[in-house]
Amino acid sequence: MGQEKCELTQNLWERLAKKWTLAVVYNLGVSKGSGFNELRNRIGSISPSSLVERLTELEGMGIIKREVIPSKPPKVLYRLTQKGEELYKILDQLASWYLSNEETLEKSLKV
């Protein structure tokens, strides 16, 4: 089971390590849901095509859900699923860990 778990975990890391993936999840967790342009503005320098790609992948993984709100024009809202909320909590813990260790971590990076 140990080797199998390592291989499955490696697959997960490869999927989550794609550029912008964790930024999308984290920002959706902070905002509790966003439209496309709002999310793009929050993240910053992500291109529209990269954001579409990440959103599509995350929706396929069951981490986010896409909700079309009937209006004129229709509005699309992206939110985390329960699985996404669980991942967000882990990312938030990681961010807190980094902030509490930032000084020593940054010093080691300058070596």
Side-chain angles (χ1 to χ4, degrees), residues 1-8:
M1 180 65 172
Q3 181 63 29
E4 183 179 320
K5 189 173 183 179
C6 285
E7 290 172 9
L8 291 171

Side-chain angles (χ1 to χ4, degrees), residues 10 12 18 25-26 38 40-41 62 77-78 84-85 89:
Q10 182 64 33
L12 172 67
K18 287 183 179 177
V25 173
Y26 195 79
E38 179 185 356
R40 185 170 173 236
N41 290 335
L77 192 62
Y78 296 93
E85 287 288 342
K89 289 176 186 174

Side-chain angles (χ1 to χ4, degrees), residues 25 29 62-64 80-89 91:
V25 173
I63 293 173
I64 66 168
L80 296 177
T81 61
Q82 182 178 349
K83 193 185 310 183
E85 287 288 342
E86 292 169 9
L87 178 57
Y88 167 72
K89 289 176 186 174
L91 295 177

Side-chain angles (χ1 to χ4, degrees), residues 47-62:
S47 70
S49 60
S50 291
L51 182 53
V52 166
E53 196 174 310
R54 294 294 89 80
L55 289 169
T56 302
E57 289 172 353
L58 289 165
E59 187 177 12
M61 293 170 69

